Amino acid sequence: MRAIQLCFASLASLAPVAVVTSEEVLAKLRGTAGGSEPNPPTWPDTVRVFDPSDDDIQSVLDAAYATNGGHDPAYNGQFSDARYAFMFKPGSYDVDVPVGYYTHIIGLGDSPDDVVFNGPKGVYVDAGSYDSSPAGDCLSNFWRAAEGFSMQGQTYEWWSGGAGMLWAVSQAAPLRRVKVDNTLNLYQYVSGDAAGFSSGGYMANVEVGGSIVSGSQQQWFARNSKFGEWSNGVWNQVFVGSIGAPASHCGLDGGSPYTTVDETPSVAEKPFIIIDSTSGEYSLVTPALKTGSVGTEFDNANAKIIPFSDVYVASADSDDAASINAKLNAGLHGRPLGGVRSNSQGPGLLVLIYGPVSICRASPLIASPRLALNPRPAHAHRAFLIHNHQWFSPRVSMSSMRPLRSRLRGRSFWV
């Protein structure tokens, strides 16, 4: 019996996409195997799917970045209401892809090699401020993501000797299922006698042909990745199941602060979306659980492939809590302005949101949790951003994960 999915495509000007599965829900909803949702789906305005033949790719990307990115003014778009998810069909793209706030770059190929960016800069995140001291501050470069592509032949020099992919971020900016043919820079130097500050990041299933230069990164976490060399790092660089990782070393005396774990004990990579270039139909790939893993994995042989005929794409323009509940009935309740409440009914529940979705309560006077998770071993909740506004103190309830229960005060986090 197939699973049913829920994709939050745009919730109150939020970005796509959330995905929910439950093996039992489908039987309750329609009683037969096989989905009836449109495939390809109807994406909302916050999503753009590019084909290599499109002639407006650069102008669309630049317009989004003018709203949600750049350093003039500093940290432009940090508190913007705009949300963007840019999906790229298989092929080569001779464009530069600046990744601003609340922006998700998604390659739709089976492998990162299927979507290639060969522009001078390619996919990049640069400093949020050039006027800082030192110049090139990246401390507020949050709330963005990129996955599912290859970077080839980037020639632009961000500084003398600083060519390659630039991903100068600080937290809540994951990089996944990406291949880089030369250098990956995790910080930025602009001018003066020091590089700008950068503080924290995450990468998984990333392969770099050259070296990764951490530079001024204060902390970084790399999992199941492969690279030629890792250099620099300020406070704490952590590596799990990564080929090319340096040996563990405590402190700065005689080395750099590295913590290395040889194998990843148990993990399933984040699900991702692919497209059939012939039929135009979409599928959700859910990688299998693996144990004792080392290095990258781009082979989907053991993954579960779910057609988008079993995926419901919800939109703020047409959906509310009632319509979402009617689709799911159990397993997940969605409240477009109040958050997402995921119940523990039905095995195999998966909550997956593409794009930095801000889950917001309808009213700051409502005291109930914006997000209530009741996870069980067979369930997973992946890749969503809880963004809390300063005028109330929202709560996240994880009733089956008491050690992880938290109250947030104007903070954000990724799951």
Side-chain angles (χ1 to χ4, degrees), residues 225-284:
S225 293
K226 179 181 178 181
F227 40 86
E229 181 185 19
W230 185 283
S231 62
N232 305 133
V234 179
W235 291 336
N236 193 24
Q237 318 284 295
V238 179
F239 311 90
V240 178
S242 293
I243 299 173
S248 293
H249 181 272
C250 185
L252 295 171
D253 188 11
S256 296
Y258 299 142
T259 300
T260 299
V261 178
D262 292 338
E263 296 182 348
T264 302
S266 180
V267 71
E269 299 294 344
K270 187 183 76 64
F272 54 93
I273 298 174
I274 61 174
I275 188 173
D276 185 308
S277 297
T278 302
S279 67
E281 294 184 342
Y282 292 77
S283 295
L284 180 69

CSV table of all heavy atoms in Angstrom, one decimal, residues 225-284:
chain,number,residue,atom,x,y,z
A,225,SER,N,30.8,12.9,4.2
A,225,SER,CA,31.3,13.7,3.0
A,225,SER,C,32.7,13.2,2.6
A,225,SER,O,33.3,12.3,3.3
A,225,SER,CB,31.4,15.2,3.4
A,225,SER,OG,30.1,15.7,3.6
A,226,LYS,N,33.2,13.7,1.5
A,226,LYS,CA,34.5,13.3,1.0
A,226,LYS,C,35.2,14.5,0.4
A,226,LYS,O,34.6,15.2,-0.4
A,226,LYS,CB,34.3,12.2,-0.1
A,226,LYS,CG,35.6,11.7,-0.7
A,226,LYS,CD,35.3,10.7,-1.8
A,226,LYS,CE,36.6,10.2,-2.5
A,226,LYS,NZ,36.3,9.2,-3.5
A,227,PHE,N,36.5,14.7,0.8
A,227,PHE,CA,37.2,15.9,0.3
A,227,PHE,C,38.7,15.6,0.3
A,227,PHE,O,39.2,14.7,1.1
A,227,PHE,CB,36.9,17.1,1.1
A,227,PHE,CG,36.7,16.9,2.6
A,227,PHE,CD1,37.8,16.9,3.4
A,227,PHE,CD2,35.5,16.6,3.1
A,227,PHE,CE1,37.7,16.7,4.8
A,227,PHE,CE2,35.3,16.4,4.5
A,227,PHE,CZ,36.4,16.5,5.3
A,228,GLY,N,39.4,16.3,-0.5
A,228,GLY,CA,40.9,16.1,-0.5
A,228,GLY,C,41.6,16.5,0.7
A,228,GLY,O,42.6,15.8,1.2
A,229,GLU,N,41.2,17.7,1.3
A,229,GLU,CA,41.9,18.2,2.4
A,229,GLU,C,41.0,19.2,3.2
A,229,GLU,O,40.1,19.8,2.5
A,229,GLU,CB,43.2,18.9,2.0
A,229,GLU,CG,44.0,19.5,3.1
A,229,GLU,CD,45.2,20.3,2.7
A,229,GLU,OE1,45.2,20.7,1.5
A,229,GLU,OE2,46.1,20.5,3.4
A,230,TRP,N,41.2,19.3,4.5
A,230,TRP,CA,40.5,20.3,5.3
A,230,TRP,C,41.5,21.2,5.9
A,230,TRP,O,42.5,20.7,6.5
A,230,TRP,CB,39.6,19.6,6.3
A,230,TRP,CG,38.7,20.6,7.1
A,230,TRP,CD1,39.2,21.4,8.1
A,230,TRP,CD2,37.3,20.9,7.0
A,230,TRP,NE1,38.1,22.2,8.6
A,230,TRP,CE2,37.0,21.8,7.9
A,230,TRP,CE3,36.4,20.3,6.1
A,230,TRP,CZ2,35.7,22.3,8.0
A,230,TRP,CZ3,35.1,20.8,6.2
A,230,TRP,CH2,34.7,21.8,7.2
A,231,SER,N,41.3,22.5,5.8
A,231,SER,CA,42.3,23.4,6.4
A,231,SER,C,41.6,24.5,7.2
A,231,SER,O,40.4,24.9,6.9
A,231,SER,CB,43.2,24.1,5.4
A,231,SER,OG,42.4,24.9,4.5
A,232,ASN,N,42.2,24.9,8.3
A,232,ASN,CA,41.8,26.0,9.2
A,232,ASN,C,40.6,25.6,10.0
A,232,ASN,O,40.3,24.4,10.2
A,232,ASN,CB,41.5,27.3,8.4
A,232,ASN,CG,42.6,27.7,7.5
A,232,ASN,OD1,42.4,28.0,6.3
A,232,ASN,ND2,43.8,27.8,8.0
A,233,GLY,N,40.0,26.6,10.7
A,233,GLY,CA,39.0,26.4,11.7
A,233,GLY,C,39.4,27.0,13.0
A,233,GLY,O,40.5,27.0,13.4
A,234,VAL,N,38.4,27.7,13.6
A,234,VAL,CA,38.7,28.5,14.8
A,234,VAL,C,38.5,27.8,16.1
A,234,VAL,O,39.5,27.7,16.9
A,234,VAL,CB,37.9,29.8,14.7
A,234,VAL,CG1,38.2,30.7,16.0
A,234,VAL,CG2,38.2,30.6,13.5
A,235,TRP,N,37.3,27.3,16.3
A,235,TRP,CA,37.0,26.7,17.6
A,235,TRP,C,36.8,25.2,17.6
A,235,TRP,O,37.4,24.5,18.3
A,235,TRP,CB,35.8,27.4,18.3
A,235,TRP,CG,36.1,28.8,18.7
A,235,TRP,CD1,37.4,29.4,19.0
A,235,TRP,CD2,35.2,29.9,18.8
A,235,TRP,NE1,37.2,30.7,19.3
A,235,TRP,CE2,35.9,31.1,19.2
A,235,TRP,CE3,33.8,30.0,18.7
A,235,TRP,CZ2,35.3,32.3,19.4
A,235,TRP,CZ3,33.2,31.2,18.9
A,235,TRP,CH2,33.9,32.3,19.3
A,236,ASN,N,35.8,24.8,16.8
A,236,ASN,CA,35.4,23.4,16.8
A,236,ASN,C,34.9,22.9,15.5
A,236,ASN,O,33.9,23.4,15.0
A,236,ASN,CB,34.3,23.2,17.9
A,236,ASN,CG,34.1,21.7,18.2
A,236,ASN,OD1,35.0,20.9,18.0
A,236,ASN,ND2,32.9,21.4,18.7
A,237,GLN,N,35.7,22.0,14.8
A,237,GLN,CA,35.3,21.5,13.6
A,237,GLN,C,35.0,20.0,13.8
A,237,GLN,O,35.9,19.3,14.3
A,237,GLN,CB,36.4,21.6,12.5
A,237,GLN,CG,37.0,23.0,12.5
A,237,GLN,CD,36.1,24.1,11.9
A,237,GLN,OE1,35.9,24.1,10.7
A,237,GLN,NE2,35.7,25.1,12.7
A,238,VAL,N,33.8,19.5,13.5
A,238,VAL,CA,33.5,18.1,13.8
A,238,VAL,C,33.2,17.3,12.5
A,238,VAL,O,32.5,17.8,11.6
A,238,VAL,CB,32.2,18.0,14.7
A,238,VAL,CG1,31.8,16.6,14.9
A,238,VAL,CG2,32.4,18.8,16.0
A,239,PHE,N,33.8,16.1,12.4
A,239,PHE,CA,33.6,15.3,11.2
A,239,PHE,C,33.1,13.9,11.6
A,239,PHE,O,33.7,13.3,12.5
A,239,PHE,CB,35.0,15.1,10.5
A,239,PHE,CG,35.7,16.4,10.3
A,239,PHE,CD1,36.6,16.9,11.3
A,239,PHE,CD2,35.5,17.2,9.2
A,239,PHE,CE1,37.2,18.1,11.1
A,239,PHE,CE2,36.2,18.4,9.0
A,239,PHE,CZ,37.0,18.9,9.9
A,240,VAL,N,32.1,13.4,10.9
A,240,VAL,CA,31.6,12.1,11.2
A,240,VAL,C,31.4,11.3,9.9
A,240,VAL,O,30.8,11.8,9.0
A,240,VAL,CB,30.2,12.2,11.9
A,240,VAL,CG1,29.6,10.8,12.2
A,240,VAL,CG2,30.3,12.9,13.2
A,241,GLY,N,32.1,10.2,9.8
A,241,GLY,CA,32.0,9.4,8.6
A,241,GLY,C,32.4,10.1,7.3
A,241,GLY,O,31.9,9.9,6.3
A,242,SER,N,33.5,10.9,7.4
A,242,SER,CA,33.9,11.7,6.3
A,242,SER,C,35.3,11.3,5.9
A,242,SER,O,36.3,11.3,6.7
A,242,SER,CB,33.9,13.2,6.7
A,242,SER,OG,32.5,13.6,6.8
A,243,ILE,N,35.5,11.1,4.6
A,243,ILE,CA,36.8,10.8,4.0
A,243,ILE,C,37.6,12.0,3.8
A,243,ILE,O,37.1,13.0,3.2
A,243,ILE,CB,36.6,10.0,2.7
A,243,ILE,CG1,35.9,8.7,2.9
A,243,ILE,CG2,38.0,9.7,2.0
A,243,ILE,CD1,35.5,8.0,1.7
A,244,GLY,N,38.8,12.1,4.3
A,244,GLY,CA,39.7,13.2,4.1
A,244,GLY,C,39.7,14.1,5.4
A,244,GLY,O,40.4,15.1,5.4
A,245,ALA,N,38.9,13.7,6.4
A,245,ALA,CA,38.9,14.5,7.6
A,245,ALA,C,40.2,14.4,8.4
A,245,ALA,O,40.9,13.4,8.4
A,245,ALA,CB,37.8,14.0,8.5
A,246,PRO,N,40.7,15.5,9.0
A,246,PRO,CA,41.9,15.5,9.8
A,246,PRO,C,41.7,14.7,11.0
A,246,PRO,O,40.6,14.4,11.5
A,246,PRO,CB,42.1,17.0,10.1
A,246,PRO,CG,40.8,17.6,10.1
A,246,PRO,CD,40.0,16.8,9.0
A,247,ALA,N,42.8,14.3,11.6
A,247,ALA,CA,42.8,13.6,12.9
A,247,ALA,C,42.3,14.5,14.0
A,247,ALA,O,42.5,15.7,14.0
A,247,ALA,CB,44.2,13.0,13.2
A,248,SER,N,41.7,13.9,15.0
A,248,SER,CA,41.2,14.7,16.1
A,248,SER,C,42.4,15.4,16.8
A,248,SER,O,43.5,14.8,17.0
A,248,SER,CB,40.5,13.8,17.1
A,248,SER,OG,39.3,13.3,16.6
A,249,HIS,N,42.1,16.6,17.3
A,249,HIS,CA,43.1,17.3,18.0
A,249,HIS,C,42.4,18.3,19.0
A,249,HIS,O,41.5,19.0,18.5
A,249,HIS,CB,44.1,18.1,17.1
A,249,HIS,CG,45.1,18.9,17.8
A,249,HIS,ND1,44.9,20.2,18.2
A,249,HIS,CD2,46.4,18.5,18.2
A,249,HIS,CE1,46.0,20.6,18.8
A,249,HIS,NE2,46.9,19.6,18.8
A,250,CYS,N,42.8,18.4,20.2
A,250,CYS,CA,42.1,19.2,21.2
A,250,CYS,C,42.8,20.5,21.3
A,250,CYS,O,44.0,20.6,21.6
A,250,CYS,CB,42.1,18.5,22.5
A,250,CYS,SG,41.2,19.4,23.8
A,251,GLY,N,42.1,21.6,21.0
A,251,GLY,CA,42.7,23.0,21.2
A,251,GLY,C,43.5,23.4,20.1
A,251,GLY,O,43.7,22.8,19.0
A,252,LEU,N,44.1,24.6,20.3
A,252,LEU,CA,44.8,25.3,19.2
A,252,LEU,C,46.3,25.1,19.4
A,252,LEU,O,47.1,25.5,18.5
A,252,LEU,CB,44.5,26.8,19.2
A,252,LEU,CG,43.1,27.2,18.8
A,252,LEU,CD1,42.8,28.7,19.1
A,252,LEU,CD2,42.8,26.8,17.4
A,253,ASP,N,46.8,24.6,20.5
A,253,ASP,CA,48.2,24.4,20.8
A,253,ASP,C,48.7,23.2,20.0
A,253,ASP,O,48.4,22.1,20.2
A,253,ASP,CB,48.4,24.1,22.3
A,253,ASP,CG,49.9,24.1,22.6
A,253,ASP,OD1,50.7,24.5,21.8
A,253,ASP,OD2,50.2,23.7,23.8
A,254,GLY,N,49.5,23.5,18.9
A,254,GLY,CA,50.1,22.5,18.1
A,254,GLY,C,49.2,21.9,17.0
A,254,GLY,O,49.5,20.9,16.4
A,255,GLY,N,48.1,22.6,16.8
A,255,GLY,CA,47.2,22.1,15.8
A,255,GLY,C,45.9,22.9,15.8
A,255,GLY,O,45.8,24.0,16.3
A,256,SER,N,44.9,22.3,15.2
A,256,SER,CA,43.6,22.9,15.1
A,256,SER,C,42.5,22.1,15.9
A,256,SER,O,42.7,20.9,16.1
A,256,SER,CB,43.1,23.0,13.6
A,256,SER,OG,44.0,23.9,12.9
A,257,PRO,N,41.4,22.7,16.3
A,257,PRO,CA,40.4,22.1,17.1
A,257,PRO,C,39.5,21.1,16.3
A,257,PRO,O,38.4,21.5,15.9
A,257,PRO,CB,39.6,23.2,17.7
A,257,PRO,CG,39.7,24.3,16.7
A,257,PRO,CD,41.1,24.1,16.0
A,258,TYR,N,39.9,19.9,16.1
A,258,TYR,CA,39.2,19.0,15.3
A,258,TYR,C,38.7,17.8,16.1
A,258,TYR,O,39.4,17.3,17.0
A,258,TYR,CB,40.0,18.4,14.1
A,258,TYR,CG,40.6,19.4,13.2
A,258,TYR,CD1,41.9,19.3,12.6
A,258,TYR,CD2,39.8,20.5,12.7
A,258,TYR,CE1,42.3,20.2,11.7
A,258,TYR,CE2,40.3,21.4,11.8
A,258,TYR,CZ,41.5,21.3,11.3
A,258,TYR,OH,42.0,22.2,10.4
A,259,THR,N,37.4,17.4,15.9
A,259,THR,CA,36.9,16.2,16.5
A,259,THR,C,36.4,15.3,15.3
A,259,THR,O,35.5,15.7,14.6
A,259,THR,CB,35.7,16.5,17.4
A,259,THR,OG1,36.1,17.4,18.5
A,259,THR,CG2,35.1,15.2,18.0
A,260,THR,N,37.0,14.1,15.2
A,260,THR,CA,36.7,13.2,14.1
A,260,THR,C,36.2,11.9,14.6
A,260,THR,O,36.8,11.2,15.4
A,260,THR,CB,38.0,13.0,13.3
A,260,THR,OG1,38.4,14.3,12.7
A,260,THR,CG2,37.7,12.1,12.1
A,261,VAL,N,35.1,11.4,14.1
A,261,VAL,CA,34.5,10.1,14.3
A,261,VAL,C,34.5,9.4,13.0
A,261,VAL,O,34.0,9.8,12.0
A,261,VAL,CB,33.0,10.2,14.8
A,261,VAL,CG1,32.4,8.8,15.0
A,261,VAL,CG2,33.0,11.1,16.1
A,262,ASP,N,35.2,8.2,13.0
A,262,ASP,CA,35.5,7.5,11.7
A,262,ASP,C,34.2,7.1,10.9
A,262,ASP,O,34.2,7.2,9.7
A,262,ASP,CB,36.3,6.3,12.0
A,262,ASP,CG,37.7,6.7,12.5
A,262,ASP,OD1,38.2,7.8,12.2
A,262,ASP,OD2,38.4,5.8,13.1
A,263,GLU,N,33.2,6.6,11.6
A,263,GLU,CA,32.0,6.1,11.0
A,263,GLU,C,30.7,6.8,11.5
A,263,GLU,O,30.7,7.2,12.7
A,263,GLU,CB,31.8,4.6,11.2
A,263,GLU,CG,32.9,3.8,10.5
A,263,GLU,CD,32.7,2.3,10.7
A,263,GLU,OE1,31.8,1.9,11.5
A,263,GLU,OE2,33.3,1.5,10.1
A,264,THR,N,29.7,6.9,10.7
A,264,THR,CA,28.4,7.4,11.1
A,264,THR,C,27.7,6.1,11.6
A,264,THR,O,27.4,5.2,10.9
A,264,THR,CB,27.6,8.0,10.0
A,264,THR,OG1,28.4,9.1,9.5
A,264,THR,CG2,26.3,8.6,10.5
A,265,PRO,N,27.3,6.1,12.9
A,265,PRO,CA,26.7,4.9,13.5
A,265,PRO,C,25.4,4.5,12.7
A,265,PRO,O,25.2,3.3,12.4
A,265,PRO,CB,26.4,5.3,14.9
A,265,PRO,CG,27.4,6.3,15.2
A,265,PRO,CD,27.6,7.1,13.9
A,266,SER,N,24.5,5.4,12.6
A,266,SER,CA,23.2,5.1,11.9
A,266,SER,C,22.6,6.4,11.4
A,266,SER,O,22.5,7.4,12.1
A,266,SER,CB,22.2,4.5,13.0
A,266,SER,OG,21.0,4.2,12.4
A,267,VAL,N,22.2,6.4,10.1
A,267,VAL,CA,21.6,7.6,9.5
A,267,VAL,C,20.9,7.2,8.3
A,267,VAL,O,21.2,6.2,7.6
A,267,VAL,CB,22.7,8.6,9.2
A,267,VAL,CG1,23.6,8.2,8.0
A,267,VAL,CG2,22.1,10.0,8.9
A,268,ALA,N,19.8,8.0,7.9
A,268,ALA,CA,19.2,7.9,6.6
A,268,ALA,C,19.3,9.3,6.1
A,268,ALA,O,18.9,10.3,6.7
A,268,ALA,CB,17.7,7.5,6.8
A,269,GLU,N,19.8,9.5,4.9
A,269,GLU,CA,19.9,10.8,4.3
A,269,GLU,C,18.5,11.4,4.0
A,269,GLU,O,17.5,10.7,3.9
A,269,GLU,CB,20.7,10.7,2.9
A,269,GLU,CG,22.1,10.2,3.0
A,269,GLU,CD,23.0,11.1,3.8
A,269,GLU,OE1,22.7,12.3,4.0
A,269,GLU,OE2,24.1,10.6,4.2
A,270,LYS,N,18.5,12.7,4.0
A,270,LYS,CA,17.3,13.4,3.8
A,270,LYS,C,16.6,13.1,2.5
A,270,LYS,O,17.3,13.0,1.4
A,270,LYS,CB,17.5,15.0,3.9
A,270,LYS,CG,16.2,15.8,3.9
A,270,LYS,CD,16.5,17.3,3.8
A,270,LYS,CE,16.9,17.7,2.5
A,270,LYS,NZ,15.9,17.6,1.4
A,271,PRO,N,15.3,12.8,2.4
A,271,PRO,CA,14.6,12.6,1.2
A,271,PRO,C,14.8,13.8,0.2
A,271,PRO,O,15.0,14.9,0.7
A,271,PRO,CB,13.2,12.4,1.6
A,271,PRO,CG,13.3,11.9,3.0
A,271,PRO,CD,14.4,12.7,3.6
A,272,PHE,N,14.6,13.5,-1.1
A,272,PHE,CA,14.8,14.6,-2.1
A,272,PHE,C,13.8,14.3,-3.2
A,272,PHE,O,13.3,13.2,-3.4
A,272,PHE,CB,16.2,14.7,-2.5
A,272,PHE,CG,16.8,13.4,-3.0
A,272,PHE,CD1,16.8,13.1,-4.4
A,272,PHE,CD2,17.5,12.6,-2.1
A,272,PHE,CE1,17.4,12.0,-4.8
A,272,PHE,CE2,18.0,11.4,-2.6
A,272,PHE,CZ,18.0,11.1,-3.9
A,273,ILE,N,13.6,15.3,-4.0
A,273,ILE,CA,12.7,15.3,-5.2
A,273,ILE,C,13.5,15.1,-6.5
A,273,ILE,O,14.5,15.7,-6.7
A,273,ILE,CB,11.9,16.6,-5.3
A,273,ILE,CG1,11.0,16.7,-4.0
A,273,ILE,CG2,11.0,16.6,-6.5
A,273,ILE,CD1,10.3,18.0,-3.9
A,274,ILE,N,13.0,14.2,-7.3
A,274,ILE,CA,13.6,14.1,-8.7
A,274,ILE,C,12.5,14.2,-9.7
A,274,ILE,O,11.3,14.1,-9.4
A,274,ILE,CB,14.3,12.7,-8.8
A,274,ILE,CG1,13.2,11.5,-8.6
A,274,ILE,CG2,15.4,12.5,-7.8
A,274,ILE,CD1,13.8,10.2,-8.9
A,275,ILE,N,12.9,14.4,-11.0
A,275,ILE,CA,11.9,14.5,-12.1
A,275,ILE,C,12.4,13.6,-13.2
A,275,ILE,O,13.5,13.3,-13.4
A,275,ILE,CB,11.9,16.0,-12.6
A,275,ILE,CG1,10.8,16.1,-13.6
A,275,ILE,CG2,13.2,16.4,-13.2
A,275,ILE,CD1,10.5,17.6,-14.1
A,276,ASP,N,11.4,13.0,-13.8
A,276,ASP,CA,11.6,12.1,-15.0
A,276,ASP,C,11.6,13.1,-16.2
A,276,ASP,O,10.6,13.7,-16.5
A,276,ASP,CB,10.5,11.1,-15.2
A,276,ASP,CG,10.8,10.1,-16.3
A,276,ASP,OD1,11.0,10.6,-17.4
A,276,ASP,OD2,10.7,8.9,-16.1
A,277,SER,N,12.8,13.2,-16.9
A,277,SER,CA,12.9,14.2,-17.9
A,277,SER,C,12.0,13.9,-19.1
A,277,SER,O,11.7,14.8,-19.9
A,277,SER,CB,14.4,14.3,-18.4
A,277,SER,OG,15.2,14.7,-17.3
A,278,THR,N,11.7,12.6,-19.3
A,278,THR,CA,10.8,12.2,-20.4
A,278,THR,C,9.3,12.5,-20.1
A,278,THR,O,8.7,13.2,-20.9
A,278,THR,CB,11.0,10.7,-20.7
A,278,THR,OG1,12.4,10.5,-21.0
A,278,THR,CG2,10.1,10.3,-21.9
A,279,SER,N,8.8,12.0,-19.0
A,279,SER,CA,7.4,12.2,-18.7
A,279,SER,C,7.1,13.5,-18.0
A,279,SER,O,5.9,13.9,-18.0
A,279,SER,CB,7.0,11.0,-17.8
A,279,SER,OG,7.6,11.1,-16.5
A,280,GLY,N,8.1,14.1,-17.4
A,280,GLY,CA,7.8,15.3,-16.6
A,280,GLY,C,7.3,15.0,-15.2
A,280,GLY,O,6.9,16.0,-14.5
A,281,GLU,N,7.2,13.8,-14.8
A,281,GLU,CA,6.6,13.4,-13.5
A,281,GLU,C,7.6,13.5,-12.4
A,281,GLU,O,8.8,13.2,-12.6
A,281,GLU,CB,6.0,12.0,-13.6
A,281,GLU,CG,4.8,11.9,-14.5
A,281,GLU,CD,4.1,10.6,-14.5
A,281,GLU,OE1,4.7,9.6,-14.0
A,281,GLU,OE2,2.9,10.5,-15.0
A,282,TYR,N,7.2,13.8,-11.2
A,282,TYR,CA,8.0,14.0,-10.1
A,282,TYR,C,7.9,12.8,-9.1
A,282,TYR,O,6.9,12.1,-9.1
A,282,TYR,CB,7.7,15.2,-9.3
A,282,TYR,CG,8.0,16.5,-10.0
A,282,TYR,CD1,7.2,17.0,-11.0
A,282,TYR,CD2,9.1,17.3,-9.6
A,282,TYR,CE1,7.4,18.2,-11.7
A,282,TYR,CE2,9.4,18.5,-10.3
A,282,TYR,CZ,8.5,18.9,-11.3
A,282,TYR,OH,8.8,20.1,-11.9
A,283,SER,N,9.0,12.5,-8.4
A,283,SER,CA,9.0,11.5,-7.4
A,283,SER,C,9.7,11.9,-6.2
A,283,SER,O,10.6,12.8,-6.3
A,283,SER,CB,9.6,10.2,-7.9
A,283,SER,OG,8.9,9.6,-9.0
A,284,LEU,N,9.4,11.4,-5.0
A,284,LEU,CA,10.1,11.6,-3.8
A,284,LEU,C,11.0,10.4,-3.5
A,284,LEU,O,10.5,9.3,-3.4
A,284,LEU,CB,9.1,11.9,-2.7
A,284,LEU,CG,9.7,12.2,-1.3
A,284,LEU,CD1,10.5,13.5,-1.3
A,284,LEU,CD2,8.7,12.1,-0.2
